[in-house]
Amino acid sequence: MSTPFVKASSVQSADGTRLAVFESGNPEGPVLVAVHGYPDNHTVWDGIAAELGDRYRVIAYDVRGAGDSDKPAARSSYKIARLVEDFTAVIDAVSPDTPVHLLAHDWGSIQSWGPVTDPALAPRIASYTSISGPCLDYVGVWMRDRKHPGASLRQALKSWYIAAFQIPALPERIVSLGVVDRGIARTELKGHPAGALANPVQRSEADKVNGIKLYRANMPSTLARPRPVRTSVPVQVLAPVDDAFVSVRLATETPAPFVDDLTISEIAGSHWVVSESPERVAAYVDAFAVKNAPAAPAATRKRKARR
């Protein structure tokens, strides 16, 4: 399947990092911004864009370190605060006046909790669908809750790779040996044992290596000293029941104390359900976006009233 995206522009983040922005779908439709995770690039959203393109203007961008975007060398350049600046630069370019619907997966979802919980940015987000990427601050609180020691231990075992990614040079060596590729392949094909995915993601060596900085820059400090912030943004959490990395309990329980408007759905699929079953994910995203459609800007309402 050829990608439905075309490169629309590049935008510059606050620290000068250039981000490649791609567009698909209905140019007059509501704006849906999709943020990919590790070790993907924007093409992980090809199937979703194909499903929703007749109704939405679908925007995807390569996060810093991946795809066609700049690849800063410093670990500090991958802190969530920098990633929030990236998201801000993108929506300033594609939808400066109207709130966007936000869809994110894996590390794209982890970083997207940043703008969702930022009082300055939250009004610019009409809805947020999070898949397999909980808020690290919420996780830090949940892991400390003594009411579910067994669930916390099981999640810690699922997340063994996070500790491994902190070791200098080891993760890069693992990538070079193809271990990451083989692990992803086993996970992706869990729901398709008889054949390949319809929308395979083409991941470069840079996608796999640079994204390790996300774990090193954010995981230890945030999990050790969580600072959870409430949000009034409508949030939909989709929790794949066969996710090898994020348990259903972690995905669904961590946001509950902090999200005012929370919708939770357990869905069939693996961690990469966004490329495994895009039609299933798209149906949930569409229904939630319709339910939380933003009001038209005042200028638009006045133009319609004069007609």
Side-chain angles (χ1 to χ4, degrees):
M1 172 181 174
S2 60
T3 179
F5 287 105
V6 295
K7 188 171 182 179
S9 63
S10 63
V11 301
Q12 183 170 298
S13 192
D15 68 349
T17 300
R18 302 294 300 185
L19 306 167
V21 180
F22 301 82
E23 185 168 343
S24 177
N26 181 355
E28 302 300 322
V31 176
L32 173 67
V33 177
V35 188
H36 70 82
Y38 173 81
D40 297 327
N41 52 63
H42 78 277
T43 63
V44 78
W45 300 115
D46 282 358
I48 299 292
E51 292 288 332
L52 295 177
D54 60 334
R55 299 184 296 287
Y56 293 86
R57 181 186 174 202
V58 185
I59 303 294
Y61 63 99
D62 288 330
V63 305
R64 56 176 60 204
D68 292 337
S69 291
D70 285 351
K71 300 164 179 61
R75 179 186 303 184
S76 60
S77 297
Y78 293 81
K79 286 185 175 293
I80 286 178
R82 301 285 79 77
L83 304 174
V84 172
E85 292 170 351
D86 294 350
F87 173 78
T88 304
V90 171
I91 63 172
D92 281 350
V94 303
S95 189
D97 301 317
T98 304
V100 303
H101 298 287
L102 175 57
L103 166 63
H105 171 248
D106 186 79
W107 252 103
S109 179
I110 292 173
Q111 73 182 66
S112 292
W113 285 101
V116 167
T117 58
D118 184 326
L121 287 171
R124 302 185 64 183
I125 302 170
S127 72
Y128 174 40
T129 297
S130 169
I131 307 170
S132 299
C135 173
L136 295 184
D137 291 289
Y138 298 171
V139 171
V141 173
W142 185 83
M143 293 292 286
R144 287 166 171 76
D145 192 335
R146 297 180 180 179
K147 295 178 182 178
H148 48 70
S152 296
L153 177 60
R154 286 189 291 274
Q155 179 58 55
L157 293 173
K158 277 178 173 281
S159 303
W160 63 269
Y161 58 93
I162 295 174
F165 278 3
Q166 307 306 314
I167 302 172
L170 177 62
E172 289 83 354
R173 179 60 176 163
I174 289 173
V175 166
S176 69
L177 293 174
V179 175
V180 171
D181 289 326
R182 291 192 292 273
I184 290 172
R186 286 195 297 271
T187 303
E188 281 185 319
L189 296 178
K190 190 169 184 178
H192 294 264
L197 294 179
N199 305 292
V201 181
Q202 303 300 318
R203 303 174 177 93
S204 72
E205 195 82 353
D207 295 339
K208 288 170 276 191
V209 170
N210 291 318
I212 293 169
K213 296 185 180 76
L214 294 167
Y215 293 87
R216 292 173 174 164
N218 297 290
M219 288 290 191
S221 58
T222 307
L223 294 178
R225 295 181 297 277
R227 297 179 177 87
V229 178
R230 295 193 66 84
T231 182
S232 59
V233 174
V235 175
Q236 172 176 232
V237 171
L238 301 183
V241 296
D242 291 318
D243 195 321
F245 308 112
V246 180
S247 70
V248 170
R249 289 195 65 176
L250 184 76
T252 60
E253 293 180 9
T254 53
F258 307 105
V259 177
D260 295 338
D261 184 351
L262 178 63
T263 300
I264 291 173
S265 296
E266 297 181 22
I267 62 173
S270 74
H271 182 77
W272 270 277
V273 68
V274 295
S275 51
E276 171 191 299
S277 301
E279 71 289 345
R280 183 179 303 145
V281 173
Y284 279 99
V285 173
D286 183 35
F288 196 62
V290 169
K291 178 182 175 182
N292 294 286
T300 302
R301 292 197 298 269
K302 288 179 182 178
R303 286 197 300 271
K304 288 182 177 180
R306 287 197 296 265
R307 290 176 182 173

